[in-house]
Amino acid sequence: MSLLDIKGLNLSIHSTQILRDVSLSLEEGKVLGLIGESGSGKSMTALSVMQLLPNGAEMSGQIMFADRDLTAQTESQMCALRGGDIGMIFQEPMTALNPVQTIGDQVAESVRIHKGFGRREALIEARKVLDKVELPAAEFPLNRYPHQLSGGQRQRVGIAVSIACNPKLLIADEPTTALDVTTQAEILALIKRLVLEDRMAAIFVTHDLAVVSDLADSIAIMKSGEIVEAGPTRKVLAEASHPYTAALLEASAHAPERFDVSADTPLLEVRSLTCTYPGRRQHLLHKPDPKIAVNKVSFTLQRGESLGLVGESGCGKSTLARTILGLITPQSGQIALDSGTVPNGQPMPRHMRAKMQVVFQDPFSSFNPRHRVARLITEPFHLLPNPPKGAERENAISDALASVGLAPSDARKYIHEFSGGQRQRIAIARALIARPELILLDEAVSALDVSIRAQILDLLSDLAQKFGLSYLFISHDLHVVRAITDRVLVMKSGKIVESGSTEDVLHNPVHPYTRSLLAATPVLSI
Amino acid sequence: MLRYALKRLVSLLGALAVASVVVFAAIEVIPGDPAAYMLGLNAAPETVAALRAELGLDAGPIARYINWVTGMLQGDFGISYTYRTPVSEMVGDRLWISLPLALYALALSTIIAFPVGIWAASKRGTSVDIGIMGFTQLGVAIPNFWFAMILVVIFAINLRWFSAGGFPGWGGGLFPGLKALTLPAIALALPQASILSRVMRSALVDMLDQDFMRTARAKGLTQGQALRRHALRNAMIPVLTILGLQFSFLLAGAIIIENVFFLPGLGRLIFQAIAQRDLIVVESVVMILVFAVILVTFLVDLAYAAVDPRLRVH
Amino acid sequence: MRSLVIGGLLAGTFLFAALLSFVWTPFDVTELDIAARLQKSSMEHWFGTDHFGRDLFSMIMVGARISLAVALVAVGIGMGLGVPLGLLAASRSGSLLDELIMRSNDLIFAFPSLLIAILITAVFGPSALNAIIAIGIFNIPVFARLTRGGALSLWTRDFILAARVAGKGPLRISVEHILPNITNLLIVQGTIQFSLGILAEAGLSYVGLGAQPPTPSWGRMLAESQTMISFAPHLALYPGIAIILTVLGLNLMGDGLRDITDPRIRRTGR
């Protein structure tokens, strides 16, 4: 018998159709992976089960949970189910917990509501649950506050809140998306263990097929509010009978055609570069110890090469990128680009900066919303001694837009008229327009859906060949690095711990950190 | 926690010190000799010189500043130029009208605003919310001294529930004193309560959209429970900021509104002093008010730390 | 949107009345007519007359000049000094300069505008100009804080980083990228400070620290009405309502402007 049976679910919010005829079922103790790109309606399906939809939502259809139709429950009946028989984990561990309440109280609250325990009893129970999610009492007493914990630890607290009353069904909405790969692997292992131990059924909502491929018994693939394909995981992945599933599979393993254009002449040479930040002041009169963000880093990037830089958040890769771009003056070390060298302790000269550009991760914050595309993409002209004017400028704009697959008429539009993928193309056009030698791609495809990501990777590969560009490709995602780079640097705690050709490093990692990164990276198992 | 409190205290004492320099310097630039002014036009130069020496006006500005500050620290605010009595005596009784009035109004404003703001937020978007917001919009626009005059017309002149002004003193017990301050306190409190309840509502509404509120709902809390147990304490952070600012507005408002009710508070004293150019009184009263505001700011800072654990660590 | 229109109409009416009063008022406000003193409202004197027989409606029209001018110039002072200070502080965030700017702002904040007015009046004597300065000084930290806060959140955005990569300096970035993106914020706060300025001006002239006779001002009209309130309450009623409606209009405008410019509200409305 099914624990959860969704039949013909339709949902519209402010009369915009979000879900169309969604039907799903889930057996007791089984895991369902609900997969889709952004806007596919996967999260709204999960929230429909919780009956926690935003204002203006209208729903029709049936959601049967253990013989009760959730769409017909009163609000107080739903309150008894939420956190009781159905628990839910959310994406953003940094904001999902109340910042002014202790973790003990937050976990205990679930127990107090559903089991009617007093505070003291509930806290004893909370302690047990926190132990269960591997937050031991010695390091994580009940009176800790969320801000004293890391993202992964906070997500464990979030899990503890949701499983405190031994739910029959656990809904996890992108629970690992905001986390680093190694933390993601730990959280995935934890969820897997809890589901098995307590024989919980679970719905795992994600955009990443690889994350659920060895966790879910069955998967359902969503697109534009509809389920396009559903069935046992192995069968769906092996057969990929629906074209969208096939396209999704192709895109997530996509490797663009690469052309070897690298020459053996160094373009960028970084020599024992060190950057420090002033640390937190411990005492009013005590000078704070500096924090070392980048520690004696040296590497060479050859002309025409695509070099990967891999590391988890806080490893110093962003500081390194900003130093290379001349935004941060390093404490010591040297940067040489082409034939120019930065004089020691001096800001980077303009003619060197003109040879580099950057594409950032977030296509939504990369552009001034008040400027038109023409003005946005010509900003790097500021670096040129004689920037093009008049017709010459117009041609440069059209060329740049054309080379990223946009129309010249797009120059007159504002940035909000474009989708995420188009914005990333505009960001690349901005990087190209001043004809740089080197483009830094700082997690440039990380925020994109897999299908868009594949297109952007193809574009980058084409452009490298066409303009003889070199890339420094910064990413946390080993799949992407494998697809687009020739050589790779692995960075940890401000140091390069391993470097070599991408194939070698990813197949025969030497450093234990590289190995743990590889082990943690989810692999699509078909 | 202690370190945070000390840090705030040091910073506020610094502000107090700078404020005293500013006030002193402002009064210092005024031309004219207070001693000559006190003695009138026909005074003999020797008498003026003697008085100057007595008042310590002969010393340089830095020495006089130090004298002034050390005097204040010992409760000695100098001698009034006009009345030739110690300023501390003149200020003493009057302070115990203005200060209680401001606190009374603050208490009223808080007691009204909290439930109203919470109510409006919990009924967000309904006619209750819209009605409350419209009413507070009007309340914000009302000048408190005008409202005070209207209250006098209604409750003192027509209904005769309260006397139209004056103050019986605290000697006759707490109740008559409080009664005399009630109309002024209401006049002060209602516009401030309107502001505070709007802030309370919008802080709560901001919290309703936070991720942790969704977590709370997913635990099985009702909307109302989640609001009271999770949103309220987080919303207190912006509310406290406004509460602290309100005290300084209420103190200023109290000084103005004393005129409506003929209350012998600091307001009457300072406006008289300005008219008579009794600058030492002006100087002292302004410093006392600044001190009161800074003290309240410090208390609000402590309250922040009590509400927000993130402040206690650093 | 509706509140913007209603607020704009209310505030616009008083602005119009103030401008009109330069060329036309029903009666001359400097002309005393003791025989017609303390009249209730009538067809001839819409709001009645005061104890000198002056037409109250005309006085309120002329009084609007001072109120609006004082509040407007005070907002100008606050923006003119506060916004550049806030931009500067944000562009050097965490530096000694930032610390210095923000600390001195805190200091000004500790002085309610009334205390500033008291100090200034004690030094220079009461006048409308001193009221402007007092309210204006109080507005500086309001705008400096708002600007700095808005600018700081923009400085962390990638498009600022892109401008820095393009070699633009803090000044240029502040003008080209920061300022246009906080204009909405500043306009909304500007209307709010405008309305607060009107209340503050009324309070100051009520206690005699603002515009001096014979210039009519709403606050002083209220002060003068006080001794006659038991037998001529209309003298207090109409100037008070004028203040309330102007302030209400400006606040409604501020709310309306915030609603149409706040992306959060636009998002939920979509």
Side-chain angles (χ1 to χ4, degrees):
Chain A
M1 193 211 74
S2 298
L3 175 70
L4 179 75
D5 212 347
I6 302 178
K7 280 189 200 132
L9 181 67
N10 284 294
L11 173 73
S12 62
I13 296 173
H14 292 296
S15 39
T16 309
Q17 185 105 29
I18 305 288
L19 298 177
R20 271 187 207 88
D21 195 26
V22 168
S23 296
L24 282 173
S25 79
L26 179 61
E27 308 284 313
E28 262 177 58
K30 298 285 184 189
V31 178
L32 167 73
L34 193 55
I35 291 136
E37 297 187 297
S38 51
S40 62
K42 56 190 193 302
S43 290
M44 282 301 158
T45 309
L47 289 172
S48 302
V49 177
M50 292 298 276
Q51 297 280 295
L52 282 178
L53 292 163
N55 288 335
E58 275 178 68
M59 196 166 54
S60 68
Q62 249 190 353
I63 303 175
M64 297 300 293
F65 174 77
D67 291 332
R68 294 156 82 177
D69 184 359
L70 297 183
T71 60
Q73 303 293 302
T74 64
E75 179 58 23
S76 64
Q77 285 170 320
M78 271 320 294
C79 281
L81 280 173
R82 289 184 205 122
D85 281 347
I86 311 174
M88 185 157 179
I89 317 167
F90 298 95
Q91 175 173 353
E92 269 304 330
M94 303 312 274
T95 52
L97 299 175
N98 184 345
V100 302
Q101 204 177 42
T102 63
I103 57 170
D105 280 331
Q106 295 192 53
V107 177
E109 192 173 30
S110 299
V111 186
R112 293 176 73 175
I113 302 168
H114 295 287
K115 297 191 180 164
F117 284 10
R119 181 159 189 262
R120 189 186 296 266
E121 281 173 291
L123 282 174
I124 294 170
E125 191 65 28
R127 183 66 264 159
K128 288 184 198 155
V129 183
L130 285 173
D131 289 340
K132 202 164 156 184
V133 297
E134 294 151 27
L135 293 175
E139 280 174 83
F140 305 98
L142 293 173
N143 60 8
R144 281 293 167 95
Y145 285 96
H147 71 268
Q148 297 167 311
L149 309 181
S150 71
Q153 290 160 353
R154 291 189 207 190
Q155 195 57 298
R156 285 172 192 270
V157 177
I159 294 172
V161 168
S162 66
I163 62 157
C165 301
N166 307 309
K168 293 197 183 91
L169 172 65
L170 180 68
I171 302 173
D173 186 3
E174 304 257 16
T176 60
T177 307
L179 305 172
D180 275 325
V181 266
T182 43
T183 319
Q184 160 165 294
E186 288 163 21
I187 297 290
L188 285 175
L190 173 68
I191 293 175
K192 199 168 175 179
R193 199 198 84 210
L194 293 171
V195 167
L196 284 176
E197 268 177 17
D198 299 347
R199 294 204 33 77
M200 264 187 283
I203 299 177
F204 201 104
V205 180
T206 181
H207 67 284
D208 189 346
L209 274 169
V211 163
V212 283
S213 63
D214 78 335
L215 178 71
D217 301 294
S218 61
I219 56 176
I221 294 177
M222 291 192 77
K223 180 180 188 261
S224 330
E226 285 177 281
I227 294 193
V228 294
E229 189 164 6
T233 309
R234 310 242 151 254
K235 186 164 174 285
V236 172
L237 294 182
E239 292 172 9
S241 48
H242 192 278
Y244 181 70
T245 314
L248 210 56
L249 277 171
E250 198 283 321
S252 43
H254 182 79
E257 200 185 337
R258 304 280 318 285
F259 310 92
D260 189 11
V261 287
S262 65
D264 268 348
T265 45
L267 175 66
L268 173 72
E269 280 187 281
V270 172
R271 289 287 159 262
S272 60
L273 197 68
T274 300
C275 298
T276 59
Y277 279 119
R280 187 179 292 286
R281 201 179 280 263
Q282 294 299 324
H283 186 273
L284 204 63
L285 302 173
H286 180 258
K287 202 166 179 237
D289 296 324
K291 265 185 66 182
I292 300 173
V294 174
N295 194 354
K296 294 194 183 128
V297 165
S298 303
F299 66 89
T300 306
L301 191 153
Q302 307 292 343
R303 191 176 288 277
E305 186 183 35
S306 173
L307 178 65
L309 177 61
V310 177
E312 295 188 294
S313 54
C315 73
K317 57 188 197 293
S318 292
T319 309
L320 178 58
R322 286 172 193 206
T323 312
I324 293 170
L325 286 166
L327 301 180
I328 299 173
T329 308
Q331 258 58 41
S332 64
Q334 265 196 341
I335 300 172
L337 183 72
D338 220 357
S339 49
T341 310
V342 184
N344 216 347
Q346 301 273 313
M348 187 176 283
R350 261 184 137 61
H351 67 88
M352 275 179 76
R353 297 178 71 160
K355 290 179 181 161
M356 283 184 286
Q357 273 300 316
V358 63
V359 177
F360 298 108
Q361 172 174 8
D362 182 2
F364 291 88
S365 86
S366 289
F367 301 98
N368 187 339
R370 310 238 153 215
H371 293 171
R372 289 174 202 274
V373 168
R375 185 165 177 194
L376 291 173
I377 64 170
T378 51
E379 193 157 42
F381 280 162
H382 190 70
L383 285 167
L384 302 181
N386 298 306
K389 296 210 164 54
E392 205 186 332
R393 182 172 175 273
E394 297 303 313
N395 286 336
I397 294 170
S398 302
D399 287 351
L401 287 174
S403 47
V404 297
L406 293 169
S409 60
D410 288 331
R412 288 188 296 276
K413 293 182 182 165
Y414 286 99
I415 199 69
H416 67 257
E417 299 173 57
F418 297 92
S419 70
Q422 287 172 319
R423 288 181 198 206
Q424 216 57 338
R425 286 173 187 270
I426 295 170
I428 295 170
R430 173 169 64 189
L432 284 176
I433 202 161
R435 298 270 176 249
E437 307 270 350
L438 171 67
I439 296 183
L440 276 74
L441 300 153
D442 190 355
E443 302 274 5
V445 297
S446 304
L448 304 173
D449 279 324
V450 276
S451 51
I452 310 288
R453 173 187 301 177
Q455 293 168 13
I456 299 288
L457 288 177
D458 282 341
L459 175 68
L460 288 171
S461 177
D462 286 349
L463 292 172
Q465 190 212 6
K466 197 167 157 195
F467 298 111
L469 291 169
S470 309
Y471 294 139
L472 180 59
F473 199 99
I474 301 163
S475 181
H476 69 280
D477 187 338
L478 292 178
H479 290 308
V480 176
V481 168
R482 174 174 284 156
I484 190 99
T485 65
D486 307 306
R487 282 195 311 130
V488 67
L489 310 168
V490 181
M491 195 167 179
K492 182 179 189 283
S493 314
K495 286 188 173 163
I496 305 284
V497 295
E498 185 160 2
S499 64
S501 92
T502 308
E503 277 311 302
D504 283 352
V505 172
L506 296 189
H507 280 119
N508 303 305
V510 178
H511 195 274
Y513 178 68
T514 318
R515 285 188 200 157
S516 70
L517 263 186
L518 270 167
T521 304
V523 182
L524 193 55
S525 49
I526 298 176
Chain B
M1 178 71 196
L2 192 66
R3 194 149 94 194
Y4 168 81
L6 280 176
K7 231 173 110 180
R8 295 308 303 155
L9 189 65
V10 168
S11 134
L12 287 168
L13 286 179
L16 197 61
V18 178
S20 70
V21 174
V22 172
V23 171
F24 184 80
I27 302 294
E28 187 71 2
V29 299
I30 298 173
D33 180 356
Y37 178 79
M38 283 164 76
L39 294 171
L41 291 174
N42 302 324
E46 310 80 81
T47 341
V48 175
L51 186 63
R52 283 180 60 87
E54 188 193 325
L55 293 174
L57 295 174
D58 283 338
I62 294 171
R64 272 183 293 129
Y65 172 74
I66 291 168
N67 270 341
W68 179 59
V69 170
T70 47
M72 276 196 298
L73 290 176
Q74 293 157 2
D76 173 15
F77 291 85
I79 310 278
S80 158
Y81 298 162
T82 317
Y83 299 102
R84 309 200 65 172
T85 50
V87 176
S88 51
E89 279 175 24
M90 299 167 68
V91 168
D93 291 345
R94 291 176 160 88
L95 188 62
W96 296 114
I97 294 174
S98 303
L99 206 56
L101 176 55
L103 290 173
Y104 190 1
L106 191 67
L108 272 183
S109 153
T110 311
I111 290 169
I112 298 166
F114 275 39
V116 170
I118 295 168
W119 193 33
S122 64
K123 304 268 178 195
R124 167 163 65 150
T126 66
S127 51
V128 172
D129 181 24
I130 294 164
I132 290 177
M133 284 304 104
F135 201 74
T136 54
Q137 186 71 273
L138 186 66
V140 172
I142 295 178
N144 51 33
F145 61 93
W146 178 80
F147 188 48
M149 289 162 72
I150 302 299
L151 289 180
V152 167
V153 172
I154 298 171
F155 293 103
I157 298 176
N158 289 325
L159 294 173
R160 297 183 179 281
W161 289 357
F162 294 91
S163 70
F167 188 71
W170 296 107
L174 193 62
F175 183 72
L178 275 185
K179 193 181 173 199
L181 293 183
T182 297
L183 276 192
I186 291 174
L188 280 174
L190 276 192
Q192 294 300 317
S194 300
I195 296 174
L196 194 59
S197 52
R198 291 179 76 83
V199 172
M200 185 67 165
R201 176 195 174 272
S202 74
L204 278 173
V205 166
D206 281 352
M207 288 305 144
L208 293 180
D209 296 333
Q210 297 287 314
D211 283 352
F212 66 80
M213 289 297 283
R214 203 175 48 184
T215 309
R217 294 301 309 283
K219 265 183 204 177
L221 292 175
T222 64
Q223 182 77 21
Q225 284 171 326
L227 187 95
R228 285 190 298 277
R229 295 189 198 172
H230 293 280
L232 195 56
R233 192 155 161 204
N234 281 285
M236 283 312 289
I237 296 165
V239 168
L240 276 173
T241 309
I242 300 299
L243 211 57
L245 281 181
Q246 287 211 317
F247 179 76
S248 74
F249 281 112
L250 284 169
L251 207 53
I255 284 173
I256 290 181
I257 225 163
E258 281 164 9
N259 282 299
V260 181
F261 293 93
F262 307 104
L263 293 172
L266 288 179
R268 310 273 297 167
L269 179 67
I270 201 166
F271 294 123
Q272 262 170 24
I274 288 175
Q276 294 161 340
R277 303 196 61 71
D278 196 348
L279 298 176
I280 191 150
V281 173
V282 175
E283 207 172 43
S284 307
V285 175
V286 169
M287 268 325 285
I288 288 169
L289 295 177
V290 171
F291 177 72
V293 169
I294 284 178
L295 186 70
V296 168
T297 312
F298 178 62
L299 294 178
V300 167
D301 282 340
L302 290 189
Y304 270 137
V307 168
D308 190 346
R310 286 164 292 190
L311 287 177
R312 282 176 234 159
V313 236
H314 313 316
Chain C
M1 197 58 211
R2 200 175 52 198
S3 58
L4 181 62
V5 172
I6 297 174
L9 280 176
L10 271 176
T13 307
F14 283 94
L15 184 65
F16 177 72
L19 292 176
L20 184 66
S21 75
F22 284 104
V23 289
W24 176 83
T25 50
F27 289 87
D28 186 350
V29 292
T30 55
E31 205 172 280
L32 311 184
D33 180 6
I34 302 296
R37 69 178 193 273
L38 294 178
Q39 283 181 5
K40 296 267 160 19
S41 48
S42 63
M43 283 309 285
E44 194 188 2
H45 296 285
W46 293 345
F47 290 173
T49 58
D50 76 351
H51 52 299
F52 294 124
R54 290 177 294 186
D55 179 52
L56 211 58
F57 187 83
S58 308
M59 287 178 74
I60 284 174
M61 278 178 74
V62 179
R65 289 183 206 164
I66 284 288
S67 282
L68 294 173
V70 168
L72 196 64
V73 178
V75 170
I77 293 176
M79 274 198 188
L81 292 173
V83 172
L85 281 176
L87 287 175
L88 188 65
S91 73
R92 301 252 191 283
S93 142
S95 70
L96 201 64
L97 182 72
D98 177 27
E99 190 74 7
L100 203 68
I101 291 173
M102 293 329 283
R103 285 296 141 260
S104 34
N105 272 319
D106 287 352
L107 186 71
I108 298 177
F109 235 52
F111 286 80
S113 54
L114 178 75
L115 285 194
I116 301 175
I118 285 175
L119 270 183
I120 293 176
T121 316
V123 178
F124 301 106
S127 72
L129 182 68
N130 291 340
I132 290 177
I133 295 172
I135 301 168
I137 289 178
F138 188 71
N139 279 340
I140 297 172
V142 172
F143 285 102
R145 282 179 175 197
L146 183 78
T147 305
R148 179 175 177 271
L152 275 184
S153 71
L154 286 169
W155 270 100
T156 63
R157 303 272 290 274
D158 285 344
F159 72 83
I160 301 295
L161 217 51
R164 290 178 59 203
V165 170
K168 292 185 175 169
L171 183 69
R172 204 183 171 102
I173 289 176
S174 292
V175 174
E176 257 182 44
H177 290 293
I178 307 281
L179 201 54
N181 281 294
I182 57 169
T183 327
N184 289 340
L185 219 61
L186 293 174
I187 291 172
V188 169
Q189 193 64 39
T191 45
I192 292 168
Q193 292 310 119
F194 193 4
S195 81
L196 288 177
I198 286 174
L199 282 174
E201 190 277 336
L204 290 180
S205 49
Y206 171 75
V207 291
L209 301 185
Q212 295 301 301
T215 320
S217 77
W218 293 345
R220 231 196 32 263
M221 287 166 75
L222 288 174
E224 286 167 4
S225 77
Q226 199 174 316
T227 48
M228 296 167 277
I229 198 156
S230 53
F231 53 90
H234 69 279
L235 291 183
L237 195 65
Y238 293 114
I241 289 173
I243 296 172
I244 292 171
L245 290 182
T246 315
V247 173
L248 187 64
L250 287 168
N251 283 341
L252 285 174
M253 266 177 76
D255 275 14
L257 285 171
R258 176 165 29 215
D259 287 354
I260 57 171
T261 55
D262 189 343
R264 279 183 308 175
I265 290 169
R266 266 188 298 181
R267 203 189 307 146
T268 48
R270 213 189 288 162

